[in-house]
Amino acid sequence: MTEEARAADKHTRTDGENREFKNKAAAGEVSEDAFDKYEQLKIRKQYKWLIFVMNADTDCVEVETEGAPGSNYEAMLSALPNHDCRYAVYDHDFTTHDGRRTSKLYFISWMPNNSTRHNKMAYSEMKRKVATRFTGTFDIQAQDEADLLLGMHIITKNDVEESDDEFEDDF
């Protein structure tokens, strides 16, 4: 692969940003601040969602973004980068089939296709440590919005439109 091809490949994987991946360290632990905010989300409902990032400088998983109690999953989706991995916890409120209001906590491993291989490996390796610290959550691994919404049962497989346009014949 030529140098120009490598540069173009990097450019397409980062959603138009030509940048070099700098976060080469894997985090060691969940920071106390991140765990405290998780507990506030879980018990006191002070947040609707939290997004976590691995910090190479402190070797900890830290809170990057917080969602206000009145926000929804669309606000969380807009806060998730489409070129970098993250962890998130989302408090999903819904009505059961028999009319009861309830909620579930989801632990989300956000690993979009545009993120680097090293980043995906680092987040995959750290996932077990982070998930065991955040108890009482249902696990979702998502590469895009459809994966996330399917995992939280907001949409069904019938709602997802699969695009086969490039395989259709135009007769």
Side-chain angles (χ1 to χ4, degrees):
M1 184 181 268
T2 66
E3 193 62 35
E4 284 181 11
R6 273 191 214 122
D9 187 40
K10 285 182 192 174
H11 185 69
T12 58
R13 284 186 285 156
T14 58
D15 193 38
E17 294 179 36
N18 192 9
R19 60 182 215 158
E20 191 66 31
F21 182 65
K22 293 183 175 93
N23 186 8
K24 299 267 184 192
E29 295 295 325
V30 176
S31 72
E32 286 305 314
D33 180 53
F35 183 72
D36 291 343
K37 288 191 179 189
Y38 166 74
E39 288 291 318
Q40 291 171 8
L41 179 146
K42 181 179 176 181
I43 297 169
R44 300 194 195 313
K45 307 281 187 189
Q46 289 186 336
Y47 306 105
K48 183 69 172 176
W49 49 267
L50 296 169
I51 296 177
F52 302 92
V53 63
M54 289 179 16
N55 187 336
D57 298 332
T58 61
D59 291 334
C60 286
V61 173
E62 299 174 342
V63 174
E64 180 183 51
T65 313
E66 307 159 353
S71 63
N72 58 13
Y73 69 89
E74 292 163 344
M76 182 186 70
L77 278 171
S78 66
L80 287 168
N82 61 356
H83 61 275
D84 208 359
C85 298
R86 295 288 187 272
Y87 301 119
V89 175
Y90 180 74
D91 186 7
H92 178 56
D93 298 320
F94 62 98
T95 305
T96 62
H97 60 67
D98 59 351
R100 291 179 292 122
R101 298 282 304 151
T102 188
S103 67
K104 283 186 181 180
L105 282 179
Y106 289 100
F107 175 76
I108 302 159
S109 299
W110 179 255
M111 298 184 189
N113 290 330
N114 291 339
S115 60
T116 63
R117 281 180 240 139
H118 176 79
N119 204 0
K120 287 180 183 179
M121 288 189 313
Y123 274 81
S124 295
E125 180 182 334
M126 187 63 187
K127 179 182 174 180
R128 184 174 298 142
K129 277 186 183 178
V130 177
T132 56
R133 190 82 195 267
F134 297 152
T135 58
T137 60
F138 293 89
D139 188 33
I140 297 175
Q141 182 163 339
Q143 294 180 340
D144 58 17
E145 181 179 352
D147 288 345
L148 184 61
L149 298 179
L150 281 169
M152 293 192 305
H153 307 290
I154 294 173
I155 61 172
T156 63
K157 285 193 177 199
N158 296 335
D159 297 332
V160 178
E161 294 180 19
E162 294 188 26
S163 176
D164 293 338
D165 292 341
E166 67 258 30
F167 299 113
E168 292 181 7
D169 292 330
D170 297 326
F171 292 108

Short mmCIF file of all heavy atoms in Angstrom, two decimals, residues 30 34-35 37-43 45 47-53 61-68 71-73 76-77 80 86-92 104-110 130-131 133-140 148 152:
data_model
loop_
_atom_site.label_atom_id
_atom_site.label_comp_id
_atom_site.label_asym_id
_atom_site.label_seq_id
_atom_site.Cartn_x
_atom_site.Cartn_y
_atom_site.Cartn_z
N VAL A 30 -11.42 1.82 36.79
CA VAL A 30 -12.47 2.82 36.71
C VAL A 30 -12.20 3.85 37.79
O VAL A 30 -11.98 3.49 38.95
CB VAL A 30 -13.86 2.18 36.92
CG1 VAL A 30 -14.95 3.23 36.94
CG2 VAL A 30 -14.12 1.13 35.85
N ALA A 34 -15.89 8.38 38.36
CA ALA A 34 -16.77 7.70 37.40
C ALA A 34 -17.70 6.73 38.12
O ALA A 34 -18.90 6.67 37.82
CB ALA A 34 -15.95 6.97 36.34
N PHE A 35 -17.18 5.99 39.08
CA PHE A 35 -18.02 5.04 39.82
C PHE A 35 -19.07 5.78 40.66
O PHE A 35 -20.22 5.35 40.72
CB PHE A 35 -17.17 4.14 40.71
CG PHE A 35 -17.97 3.10 41.43
CD1 PHE A 35 -18.51 2.03 40.74
CD2 PHE A 35 -18.20 3.21 42.78
CE1 PHE A 35 -19.28 1.08 41.39
CE2 PHE A 35 -18.97 2.27 43.45
CZ PHE A 35 -19.50 1.20 42.75
N LYS A 37 -20.42 8.69 39.99
CA LYS A 37 -21.46 9.19 39.09
C LYS A 37 -22.37 8.06 38.61
O LYS A 37 -23.57 8.25 38.45
CB LYS A 37 -20.85 9.95 37.92
CG LYS A 37 -20.28 11.28 38.37
CD LYS A 37 -19.92 12.16 37.23
CE LYS A 37 -19.40 13.47 37.81
NZ LYS A 37 -19.21 14.47 36.81
N TYR A 38 -21.80 6.88 38.41
CA TYR A 38 -22.61 5.73 38.05
C TYR A 38 -23.61 5.41 39.17
O TYR A 38 -24.79 5.15 38.91
CB TYR A 38 -21.74 4.51 37.75
CG TYR A 38 -22.53 3.24 37.70
CD1 TYR A 38 -23.36 2.95 36.62
CD2 TYR A 38 -22.50 2.33 38.76
CE1 TYR A 38 -24.11 1.80 36.59
CE2 TYR A 38 -23.24 1.18 38.73
CZ TYR A 38 -24.05 0.92 37.65
OH TYR A 38 -24.80 -0.22 37.63
N GLU A 39 -23.14 5.43 40.40
CA GLU A 39 -24.02 5.17 41.54
C GLU A 39 -25.13 6.23 41.63
O GLU A 39 -26.27 5.92 41.97
CB GLU A 39 -23.22 5.13 42.85
CG GLU A 39 -22.35 3.89 42.98
CD GLU A 39 -23.17 2.62 43.17
OE1 GLU A 39 -24.15 2.65 43.93
OE2 GLU A 39 -22.81 1.60 42.55
N GLN A 40 -24.79 7.48 41.33
CA GLN A 40 -25.80 8.54 41.34
C GLN A 40 -26.84 8.32 40.24
O GLN A 40 -28.02 8.61 40.42
CB GLN A 40 -25.14 9.91 41.19
CG GLN A 40 -24.34 10.32 42.40
CD GLN A 40 -23.52 11.57 42.16
OE1 GLN A 40 -23.66 12.23 41.13
NE2 GLN A 40 -22.66 11.91 43.10
N LEU A 41 -26.40 7.81 39.08
CA LEU A 41 -27.34 7.48 38.01
C LEU A 41 -28.23 6.32 38.43
O LEU A 41 -29.45 6.36 38.28
CB LEU A 41 -26.57 7.13 36.74
CG LEU A 41 -27.39 6.73 35.50
CD1 LEU A 41 -26.67 7.21 34.25
CD2 LEU A 41 -27.63 5.25 35.42
N LYS A 42 -27.63 5.28 38.99
CA LYS A 42 -28.34 4.05 39.32
C LYS A 42 -29.32 4.23 40.48
O LYS A 42 -30.47 3.82 40.40
CB LYS A 42 -27.33 2.96 39.67
CG LYS A 42 -27.92 1.63 40.01
CD LYS A 42 -26.81 0.64 40.31
CE LYS A 42 -27.37 -0.69 40.76
NZ LYS A 42 -26.29 -1.62 41.07
N ILE A 43 -28.88 4.87 41.55
CA ILE A 43 -29.69 4.94 42.77
C ILE A 43 -30.51 6.23 42.85
O ILE A 43 -31.69 6.21 43.13
CB ILE A 43 -28.78 4.80 44.01
CG1 ILE A 43 -28.13 3.41 44.00
CG2 ILE A 43 -29.58 5.01 45.28
CD1 ILE A 43 -27.03 3.23 45.00
N LYS A 45 -30.91 8.58 40.34
CA LYS A 45 -31.47 9.04 39.06
C LYS A 45 -31.08 10.50 38.76
O LYS A 45 -31.87 11.25 38.20
CB LYS A 45 -33.00 8.90 39.03
CG LYS A 45 -33.51 7.52 39.37
CD LYS A 45 -33.37 6.61 38.20
CE LYS A 45 -34.05 5.28 38.51
NZ LYS A 45 -33.81 4.28 37.54
N TYR A 47 -28.74 11.36 36.68
CA TYR A 47 -28.38 11.42 35.27
C TYR A 47 -29.24 10.43 34.51
O TYR A 47 -29.68 9.41 35.05
CB TYR A 47 -26.90 11.06 35.04
CG TYR A 47 -25.94 11.87 35.87
CD1 TYR A 47 -25.32 11.31 36.99
CD2 TYR A 47 -25.66 13.18 35.55
CE1 TYR A 47 -24.43 12.06 37.75
CE2 TYR A 47 -24.77 13.93 36.30
CZ TYR A 47 -24.17 13.36 37.40
OH TYR A 47 -23.31 14.09 38.16
N LYS A 48 -29.45 10.69 33.23
CA LYS A 48 -30.15 9.74 32.37
C LYS A 48 -29.15 8.78 31.72
O LYS A 48 -29.43 7.62 31.50
CB LYS A 48 -30.95 10.50 31.29
CG LYS A 48 -31.77 9.63 30.40
CD LYS A 48 -32.93 9.03 31.15
CE LYS A 48 -33.86 8.32 30.19
NZ LYS A 48 -34.92 7.66 30.90
N TRP A 49 -27.99 9.30 31.40
CA TRP A 49 -26.93 8.51 30.79
C TRP A 49 -25.56 9.11 31.09
O TRP A 49 -25.45 10.29 31.42
CB TRP A 49 -27.13 8.37 29.28
CG TRP A 49 -27.40 9.66 28.55
CD1 TRP A 49 -28.63 10.18 28.26
CD2 TRP A 49 -26.44 10.60 28.05
NE1 TRP A 49 -28.48 11.37 27.60
CE2 TRP A 49 -27.15 11.65 27.46
CE3 TRP A 49 -25.06 10.65 28.03
CZ2 TRP A 49 -26.52 12.74 26.86
CZ3 TRP A 49 -24.43 11.73 27.43
CH2 TRP A 49 -25.17 12.75 26.85
N LEU A 50 -24.54 8.27 31.01
CA LEU A 50 -23.15 8.69 31.18
C LEU A 50 -22.33 8.07 30.06
O LEU A 50 -22.55 6.92 29.69
CB LEU A 50 -22.59 8.22 32.52
CG LEU A 50 -23.22 8.78 33.79
CD1 LEU A 50 -22.73 8.00 35.01
CD2 LEU A 50 -22.91 10.25 33.94
N ILE A 51 -21.37 8.83 29.53
CA ILE A 51 -20.45 8.31 28.53
C ILE A 51 -19.06 8.34 29.14
O ILE A 51 -18.63 9.34 29.71
CB ILE A 51 -20.49 9.14 27.23
CG1 ILE A 51 -21.87 9.00 26.59
CG2 ILE A 51 -19.40 8.68 26.26
CD1 ILE A 51 -22.07 9.82 25.35
N PHE A 52 -18.35 7.21 29.02
CA PHE A 52 -17.03 7.03 29.63
C PHE A 52 -15.96 6.91 28.55
O PHE A 52 -16.20 6.33 27.50
CB PHE A 52 -17.01 5.77 30.50
CG PHE A 52 -18.03 5.77 31.59
CD1 PHE A 52 -19.28 5.22 31.37
CD2 PHE A 52 -17.77 6.34 32.82
CE1 PHE A 52 -20.24 5.20 32.38
CE2 PHE A 52 -18.71 6.34 33.82
CZ PHE A 52 -19.95 5.77 33.61
N VAL A 53 -14.78 7.43 28.86
CA VAL A 53 -13.65 7.38 27.94
C VAL A 53 -12.42 6.86 28.70
O VAL A 53 -12.29 7.08 29.91
CB VAL A 53 -13.36 8.77 27.32
CG1 VAL A 53 -12.97 9.79 28.37
CG2 VAL A 53 -12.32 8.70 26.22
N VAL A 61 -10.63 4.88 33.48
CA VAL A 61 -11.84 5.15 32.72
C VAL A 61 -12.55 6.29 33.45
O VAL A 61 -12.80 6.20 34.65
CB VAL A 61 -12.75 3.90 32.65
CG1 VAL A 61 -14.08 4.23 32.03
CG2 VAL A 61 -12.05 2.80 31.89
N GLU A 62 -12.84 7.37 32.72
CA GLU A 62 -13.41 8.57 33.33
C GLU A 62 -14.70 8.97 32.60
O GLU A 62 -14.91 8.60 31.46
CB GLU A 62 -12.41 9.73 33.24
CG GLU A 62 -11.12 9.43 33.98
CD GLU A 62 -10.07 10.52 33.77
OE1 GLU A 62 -10.21 11.32 32.81
OE2 GLU A 62 -9.12 10.54 34.55
N VAL A 63 -15.52 9.77 33.29
CA VAL A 63 -16.75 10.27 32.68
C VAL A 63 -16.39 11.37 31.69
O VAL A 63 -15.66 12.30 32.02
CB VAL A 63 -17.70 10.83 33.76
CG1 VAL A 63 -18.92 11.49 33.11
CG2 VAL A 63 -18.15 9.73 34.69
N GLU A 64 -16.90 11.23 30.47
CA GLU A 64 -16.68 12.25 29.45
C GLU A 64 -17.89 13.18 29.34
O GLU A 64 -17.74 14.39 29.27
CB GLU A 64 -16.42 11.58 28.10
CG GLU A 64 -16.17 12.55 26.98
CD GLU A 64 -15.98 11.87 25.65
OE1 GLU A 64 -16.82 11.03 25.28
OE2 GLU A 64 -14.98 12.18 24.98
N THR A 65 -19.10 12.60 29.31
CA THR A 65 -20.31 13.38 29.12
C THR A 65 -21.41 12.83 30.02
O THR A 65 -21.51 11.62 30.21
CB THR A 65 -20.79 13.30 27.66
OG1 THR A 65 -19.69 13.53 26.79
CG2 THR A 65 -21.86 14.31 27.37
N GLU A 66 -22.24 13.74 30.53
CA GLU A 66 -23.37 13.37 31.39
C GLU A 66 -24.66 13.83 30.74
O GLU A 66 -24.71 14.91 30.17
CB GLU A 66 -23.24 14.04 32.76
CG GLU A 66 -21.92 13.81 33.44
CD GLU A 66 -21.62 14.86 34.49
OE1 GLU A 66 -22.38 15.85 34.61
OE2 GLU A 66 -20.62 14.69 35.19
N GLY A 67 -25.69 13.01 30.85
CA GLY A 67 -27.01 13.37 30.32
C GLY A 67 -27.94 13.77 31.44
O GLY A 67 -28.06 13.08 32.45
N ALA A 68 -28.60 14.89 31.28
CA ALA A 68 -29.55 15.38 32.29
C ALA A 68 -30.70 14.38 32.44
O ALA A 68 -31.00 13.63 31.51
CB ALA A 68 -30.10 16.74 31.86
N SER A 71 -33.23 14.01 29.54
CA SER A 71 -32.79 13.76 28.17
C SER A 71 -33.17 12.35 27.72
O SER A 71 -33.62 11.54 28.52
CB SER A 71 -31.28 13.99 28.04
OG SER A 71 -30.58 13.07 28.85
N ASN A 72 -32.97 12.06 26.45
CA ASN A 72 -33.35 10.75 25.91
C ASN A 72 -32.17 10.08 25.21
O ASN A 72 -31.07 10.61 25.19
CB ASN A 72 -34.53 10.91 24.96
CG ASN A 72 -34.24 11.86 23.82
OD1 ASN A 72 -33.09 12.22 23.59
ND2 ASN A 72 -35.26 12.25 23.09
N TYR A 73 -32.43 8.92 24.61
CA TYR A 73 -31.36 8.18 23.96
C TYR A 73 -30.82 8.91 22.73
O TYR A 73 -29.66 8.73 22.36
CB TYR A 73 -31.80 6.76 23.59
CG TYR A 73 -32.83 6.68 22.49
CD1 TYR A 73 -32.44 6.61 21.17
CD2 TYR A 73 -34.19 6.69 22.78
CE1 TYR A 73 -33.39 6.55 20.15
CE2 TYR A 73 -35.13 6.62 21.78
CZ TYR A 73 -34.72 6.55 20.46
OH TYR A 73 -35.65 6.49 19.47
N MET A 76 -28.01 11.02 23.81
CA MET A 76 -26.82 10.19 24.06
C MET A 76 -26.17 9.80 22.74
O MET A 76 -24.95 9.85 22.61
CB MET A 76 -27.19 8.95 24.85
CG MET A 76 -25.98 8.09 25.18
SD MET A 76 -26.38 6.53 25.97
CE MET A 76 -27.14 5.66 24.62
N LEU A 77 -26.98 9.42 21.75
CA LEU A 77 -26.43 9.04 20.44
C LEU A 77 -25.67 10.19 19.80
O LEU A 77 -24.63 9.97 19.18
CB LEU A 77 -27.55 8.58 19.51
CG LEU A 77 -27.99 7.14 19.67
CD1 LEU A 77 -29.24 6.88 18.85
CD2 LEU A 77 -26.88 6.21 19.25
N LEU A 80 -22.20 10.45 21.33
CA LEU A 80 -21.24 9.38 21.03
C LEU A 80 -20.50 9.70 19.74
O LEU A 80 -21.13 10.02 18.73
CB LEU A 80 -21.95 8.04 20.90
CG LEU A 80 -22.46 7.41 22.19
CD1 LEU A 80 -23.40 6.25 21.88
CD2 LEU A 80 -21.30 6.95 23.06
N ARG A 86 -16.24 4.12 22.95
CA ARG A 86 -16.63 4.63 24.26
C ARG A 86 -17.42 3.56 25.00
O ARG A 86 -17.91 2.60 24.40
CB ARG A 86 -17.53 5.88 24.16
CG ARG A 86 -16.88 7.10 23.56
CD ARG A 86 -15.87 7.71 24.52
NE ARG A 86 -15.36 8.97 24.03
CZ ARG A 86 -14.32 9.12 23.24
NH1 ARG A 86 -13.67 8.07 22.80
NH2 ARG A 86 -13.91 10.32 22.88
N TYR A 87 -17.55 3.74 26.30
CA TYR A 87 -18.51 2.99 27.10
C TYR A 87 -19.61 3.97 27.48
O TYR A 87 -19.37 5.16 27.64
CB TYR A 87 -17.90 2.45 28.39
CG TYR A 87 -16.73 1.53 28.19
CD1 TYR A 87 -15.48 1.84 28.70
CD2 TYR A 87 -16.87 0.31 27.52
CE1 TYR A 87 -14.40 1.00 28.55
CE2 TYR A 87 -15.80 -0.53 27.35
CZ TYR A 87 -14.56 -0.18 27.87
OH TYR A 87 -13.50 -1.03 27.70
N ALA A 88 -20.82 3.45 27.67
CA ALA A 88 -21.92 4.30 28.11
C ALA A 88 -22.83 3.48 29.01
O ALA A 88 -22.90 2.26 28.90
CB ALA A 88 -22.70 4.84 26.91
N VAL A 89 -23.52 4.17 29.91
CA VAL A 89 -24.58 3.56 30.71
C VAL A 89 -25.81 4.41 30.48
O VAL A 89 -25.76 5.63 30.60
CB VAL A 89 -24.20 3.51 32.21
CG1 VAL A 89 -25.38 2.99 33.02
CG2 VAL A 89 -22.98 2.65 32.44
N TYR A 90 -26.92 3.73 30.12
CA TYR A 90 -28.16 4.43 29.81
C TYR A 90 -29.29 3.85 30.66
O TYR A 90 -29.46 2.64 30.74
CB TYR A 90 -28.50 4.28 28.32
CG TYR A 90 -29.77 4.97 27.92
CD1 TYR A 90 -29.81 6.36 27.81
CD2 TYR A 90 -30.93 4.26 27.67
CE1 TYR A 90 -30.99 7.01 27.45
CE2 TYR A 90 -32.09 4.91 27.31
CZ TYR A 90 -32.11 6.28 27.21
OH TYR A 90 -33.27 6.92 26.85
N ASP A 91 -30.07 4.73 31.29
CA ASP A 91 -31.23 4.34 32.08
C ASP A 91 -32.47 4.45 31.20
O ASP A 91 -32.97 5.54 30.96
CB ASP A 91 -31.33 5.25 33.31
CG ASP A 91 -32.42 4.82 34.27
OD1 ASP A 91 -33.01 3.74 34.08
OD2 ASP A 91 -32.68 5.57 35.24
N HIS A 92 -32.93 3.31 30.70
CA HIS A 92 -34.03 3.28 29.74
C HIS A 92 -35.37 3.04 30.45
O HIS A 92 -35.58 2.00 31.07
CB HIS A 92 -33.79 2.17 28.71
CG HIS A 92 -34.87 2.03 27.70
ND1 HIS A 92 -35.29 3.07 26.91
CD2 HIS A 92 -35.62 0.96 27.33
CE1 HIS A 92 -36.25 2.64 26.10
NE2 HIS A 92 -36.47 1.37 26.35
N LYS A 104 -34.59 -0.05 32.86
CA LYS A 104 -33.44 -0.96 32.83
C LYS A 104 -32.20 -0.12 32.62
O LYS A 104 -32.22 0.87 31.89
CB LYS A 104 -33.55 -1.94 31.66
CG LYS A 104 -34.50 -3.07 31.86
CD LYS A 104 -34.39 -4.04 30.69
CE LYS A 104 -35.37 -5.19 30.84
NZ LYS A 104 -35.27 -6.13 29.72
N LEU A 105 -31.12 -0.55 33.24
CA LEU A 105 -29.81 0.07 33.01
C LEU A 105 -29.06 -0.76 31.97
O LEU A 105 -28.94 -1.98 32.12
CB LEU A 105 -28.99 0.11 34.30
CG LEU A 105 -29.33 1.17 35.30
CD1 LEU A 105 -28.43 1.04 36.52
CD2 LEU A 105 -29.19 2.56 34.73
N TYR A 106 -28.59 -0.09 30.93
CA TYR A 106 -27.82 -0.75 29.89
C TYR A 106 -26.37 -0.28 29.93
O TYR A 106 -26.11 0.92 29.96
CB TYR A 106 -28.41 -0.46 28.51
CG TYR A 106 -29.72 -1.14 28.26
CD1 TYR A 106 -30.92 -0.46 28.40
CD2 TYR A 106 -29.77 -2.48 27.89
CE1 TYR A 106 -32.13 -1.09 28.17
CE2 TYR A 106 -30.97 -3.12 27.65
CZ TYR A 106 -32.15 -2.42 27.81
OH TYR A 106 -33.34 -3.04 27.58
N PHE A 107 -25.44 -1.24 29.91
CA PHE A 107 -24.02 -0.94 29.74
C PHE A 107 -23.72 -1.13 28.27
O PHE A 107 -23.88 -2.22 27.72
CB PHE A 107 -23.15 -1.86 30.60
CG PHE A 107 -21.68 -1.65 30.37
CD1 PHE A 107 -21.05 -0.55 30.91
CD2 PHE A 107 -20.95 -2.54 29.61
CE1 PHE A 107 -19.69 -0.34 30.68
CE2 PHE A 107 -19.60 -2.35 29.39
CZ PHE A 107 -18.97 -1.25 29.93
N ILE A 108 -23.27 -0.08 27.61
CA ILE A 108 -23.08 -0.08 26.16
C ILE A 108 -21.60 0.01 25.83
O ILE A 108 -20.90 0.91 26.30
CB ILE A 108 -23.83 1.11 25.52
CG1 ILE A 108 -25.32 1.02 25.86
CG2 ILE A 108 -23.60 1.16 24.02
CD1 ILE A 108 -26.06 2.33 25.74
N SER A 109 -21.13 -0.92 25.03
CA SER A 109 -19.78 -0.85 24.46
C SER A 109 -19.95 -0.30 23.05
O SER A 109 -20.41 -1.00 22.15
CB SER A 109 -19.13 -2.23 24.40
OG SER A 109 -19.02 -2.78 25.67
N TRP A 110 -19.59 0.95 22.86
CA TRP A 110 -19.75 1.64 21.58
C TRP A 110 -18.45 1.49 20.80
O TRP A 110 -17.42 2.04 21.18
CB TRP A 110 -20.08 3.10 21.83
CG TRP A 110 -20.26 3.92 20.60
CD1 TRP A 110 -19.38 4.83 20.10
CD2 TRP A 110 -21.39 3.93 19.72
NE1 TRP A 110 -19.89 5.39 18.96
CE2 TRP A 110 -21.13 4.87 18.71
CE3 TRP A 110 -22.60 3.24 19.70
CZ2 TRP A 110 -22.03 5.13 17.69
CZ3 TRP A 110 -23.48 3.50 18.69
CH2 TRP A 110 -23.20 4.44 17.69
N VAL A 130 -14.59 -2.98 33.48
CA VAL A 130 -15.56 -1.89 33.61
C VAL A 130 -16.95 -2.45 33.89
O VAL A 130 -17.65 -1.98 34.78
CB VAL A 130 -15.55 -1.00 32.35
CG1 VAL A 130 -16.60 0.08 32.45
CG2 VAL A 130 -14.18 -0.38 32.15
N ALA A 131 -17.36 -3.47 33.14
CA ALA A 131 -18.70 -4.03 33.29
C ALA A 131 -18.90 -4.65 34.67
O ALA A 131 -19.99 -4.56 35.23
CB ALA A 131 -18.98 -5.05 32.19
N ARG A 133 -17.55 -3.66 37.40
CA ARG A 133 -17.65 -2.56 38.38
C ARG A 133 -19.03 -1.92 38.34
O ARG A 133 -19.55 -1.48 39.36
CB ARG A 133 -16.56 -1.52 38.05
CG ARG A 133 -16.38 -0.45 39.08
CD ARG A 133 -15.51 -0.92 40.23
NE ARG A 133 -15.61 -0.05 41.36
CZ ARG A 133 -14.82 0.97 41.64
NH1 ARG A 133 -13.82 1.23 40.83
NH2 ARG A 133 -15.00 1.71 42.69
N PHE A 134 -19.65 -1.88 37.16
CA PHE A 134 -20.99 -1.30 37.00
C PHE A 134 -22.02 -2.44 37.07
O PHE A 134 -22.49 -2.94 36.06
CB PHE A 134 -21.11 -0.55 35.68
CG PHE A 134 -20.19 0.64 35.56
CD1 PHE A 134 -19.76 1.05 34.32
CD2 PHE A 134 -19.78 1.35 36.66
CE1 PHE A 134 -18.92 2.14 34.19
CE2 PHE A 134 -18.94 2.44 36.55
CZ PHE A 134 -18.50 2.84 35.30
N THR A 135 -22.37 -2.84 38.27
CA THR A 135 -23.27 -3.98 38.46
C THR A 135 -24.72 -3.60 38.17
O THR A 135 -25.09 -2.43 38.25
CB THR A 135 -23.17 -4.50 39.90
OG1 THR A 135 -23.50 -3.43 40.80
CG2 THR A 135 -21.79 -5.02 40.22
N GLY A 136 -25.50 -4.61 37.85
CA GLY A 136 -26.93 -4.40 37.64
C GLY A 136 -27.30 -3.85 36.28
O GLY A 136 -28.34 -3.23 36.13
N THR A 137 -26.45 -4.08 35.29
CA THR A 137 -26.71 -3.56 33.95
C THR A 137 -26.85 -4.70 32.95
O THR A 137 -26.34 -5.80 33.16
CB THR A 137 -25.57 -2.64 33.47
OG1 THR A 137 -24.35 -3.38 33.46
CG2 THR A 137 -25.43 -1.42 34.36
N PHE A 138 -27.56 -4.42 31.87
CA PHE A 138 -27.66 -5.35 30.74
C PHE A 138 -26.64 -4.91 29.69
O PHE A 138 -26.50 -3.73 29.40
CB PHE A 138 -29.06 -5.32 30.14
CG PHE A 138 -30.10 -5.88 31.06
CD1 PHE A 138 -30.75 -5.05 31.97
CD2 PHE A 138 -30.42 -7.22 31.04
CE1 PHE A 138 -31.71 -5.56 32.83
CE2 PHE A 138 -31.38 -7.75 31.89
CZ PHE A 138 -32.02 -6.90 32.80
N ASP A 139 -25.92 -5.86 29.12
CA ASP A 139 -24.80 -5.56 28.23
C ASP A 139 -25.25 -5.46 26.78
O ASP A 139 -25.99 -6.31 26.29
CB ASP A 139 -23.75 -6.67 28.37
CG ASP A 139 -22.47 -6.35 27.65
OD1 ASP A 139 -22.10 -5.17 27.58
OD2 ASP A 139 -21.82 -7.29 27.15
N ILE A 140 -24.78 -4.40 26.10
CA ILE A 140 -25.03 -4.22 24.66
C ILE A 140 -23.70 -3.84 24.01
O ILE A 140 -22.97 -2.99 24.53
CB ILE A 140 -26.02 -3.07 24.38
CG1 ILE A 140 -27.38 -3.37 24.98
CG2 ILE A 140 -26.15 -2.82 22.89
CD1 ILE A 140 -28.36 -2.22 24.83
N LEU A 148 -27.68 -0.38 18.69
CA LEU A 148 -28.04 0.14 20.01
C LEU A 148 -29.54 0.06 20.24
O LEU A 148 -30.00 -0.41 21.29
CB LEU A 148 -27.54 1.57 20.15
CG LEU A 148 -27.73 2.24 21.50
CD1 LEU A 148 -26.99 1.49 22.59
CD2 LEU A 148 -27.26 3.67 21.44
N MET A 152 -31.66 -2.34 23.00
CA MET A 152 -32.54 -1.79 24.04
C MET A 152 -34.01 -2.07 23.75
O MET A 152 -34.88 -1.60 24.47
CB MET A 152 -32.31 -0.28 24.18
CG MET A 152 -30.95 0.06 24.73
SD MET A 152 -30.74 1.77 25.24
CE MET A 152 -31.17 2.69 23.81
#
